[in-house]
Amino acid sequence: MLSTFHLSLATPPPHHHHHHHRPPPRYPCDLTVPTSAADSGGEQVYESCVREKVSAALAKGQDMVVWSYGAKGSGKTSVLGFGGAKDDAASPPRGVAHCLCDNLFNELVRLKQAHDSWVSYEVSASFLSVGTLLEQCVDCLSTAAPPANSSSSSSSTTSSSASSRRRSRGEGSSMNLREDPKTGFYLEGLTSVPCTSAEELADVFMQGVDAASSSPPDGRAHNLFMVTVLRTSTDGTEYTSQLKLLDLAGHVRPESGA
């Protein structure tokens, strides 16, 4: 039997504080990917269905979520790019996350040139791991170093982020979930690292992957890479887009006779 995993893409509906009468949103499966696709990485997946979602979210100031789910060992983590580099792989396949890091800034430049109302944009990234048993949220970038090629223009922001990372380093960097009436749920004190290039963004992503893989909260975890883009228009209006890649922990099939 062909082993597969599922990939879903969605633009979440806007947050409303009084939503108890509204049915929960439904997110259909957009793509079923055979395990064999993991050998070639996530470039084809990104080009076929993720790239256009990224462009639309950035242009409209919306959020975008890509998440994968399936059996453990189905290849979903490799396709997203959350697996990290293998010891025996000189050049591991590029995942969806690597493609996002490589193409994000080019897309922002293209959109800025196409829209006269765009004045500036800022990019930052976070990486979160959530244990499946204890449901403990861990900030995987709380001890991360600032991007190696960080420009002087963002030095003050980087210094502030580094300071917050030092403060949150103790006690495993566990996070507390809060709710804001206007913007919805958020994690208090979650590290957000400013990035000014594709190289810096990719470096932050890999730091998060390494931290998540070396010390999962309780052995198995859901991992979330979140890129926040804040853009400013000529009239001073600010728009925020969050691009999220979520690798859900693979479900374990029960062994026969168990």
Side-chain angles (χ1 to χ4, degrees):
M1 182 177 66
L2 180 64
S3 178
T4 63
F5 67 91
H6 307 291
L7 185 76
S8 292
L9 305 93
T11 300
H15 175 79
H16 298 287
H17 185 53
H18 302 290
H19 59 276
H20 52 279
H21 294 304
R22 185 167 54 89
R26 301 181 64 183
Y27 300 115
C29 171
D30 293 271
L31 186 66
T32 297
V33 184
T35 299
S36 57
D39 296 333
S40 58
E43 289 188 80
Q44 183 177 353
V45 172
Y46 183 86
E47 293 296 336
S48 63
C49 57
V50 179
R51 180 190 283 273
E52 63 178 356
K53 296 282 187 179
V54 171
S55 179
L58 293 174
K60 299 176 182 178
Q62 295 179 333
D63 293 352
M64 182 209 73
V65 183
V66 178
W67 73 90
S68 65
Y69 55 98
K72 181 179 180 180
S74 61
K76 61 182 183 58
T77 297
S78 178
V79 168
L80 275 188
F82 282 62
K86 300 286 192 303
D87 292 336
D88 58 349
S91 179
R94 284 158 41 86
V96 171
H98 302 101
C99 296
L100 173 62
C101 293
D102 287 350
N103 292 285
L104 176 63
F105 286 90
N106 288 336
E107 183 63 18
L108 285 171
V109 169
R110 186 189 70 80
L111 289 171
K112 187 174 185 296
Q113 293 174 344
H115 297 82
D116 294 335
S117 61
W118 282 42
V119 175
S120 62
Y121 54 81
E122 298 176 5
V123 177
S124 59
S126 303
F127 200 109
L128 176 71
S129 186
V130 182
T132 58
L133 297 179
L134 302 179
E135 297 185 354
Q136 179 187 21
C137 299
V138 174
D139 184 353
C140 294
L141 298 178
S142 62
T143 59
N149 300 318
S150 181
S151 64
S152 58
S153 62
S154 61
S155 59
S156 60
T157 307
T158 301
S159 176
S160 175
S161 296
S163 176
S164 66
R165 287 195 290 274
R166 286 194 294 271
R167 288 196 299 270
S168 63
R169 180 171 183 171
E171 307 303 325
S173 303
S174 180
M175 302 275 93
N176 293 316
L177 185 65
R178 306 296 187 201
E179 183 178 12
D180 184 281
K182 295 181 179 180
T183 60
F185 292 97
Y186 68 96
L187 284 167
E188 186 178 45
L190 180 64
T191 301
S192 183
V193 181
C195 302
T196 59
S197 68
E199 292 77 14
E200 290 181 11
L201 185 59
D203 180 60
V204 169
F205 169 69
M206 289 310 302
Q207 289 184 59
V209 168
D210 291 343
S213 61
S214 62
S215 57
D218 51 29
R220 296 176 62 244
H222 310 301
N223 293 317
L224 173 67
F225 178 53
M226 180 168 64
V227 179
T228 302
V229 179
L230 174 66
R231 65 176 172 90
T232 305
S233 297
T234 51
D235 61 359
T237 303
E238 294 184 337
Y239 299 87
T240 301
S241 298
Q242 286 191 331
L243 313 176
K244 304 172 184 177
L245 302 182
L246 173 60
D247 180 30
L248 295 174
H251 59 80
V252 180
R253 295 169 178 168
E255 297 182 5
S256 59

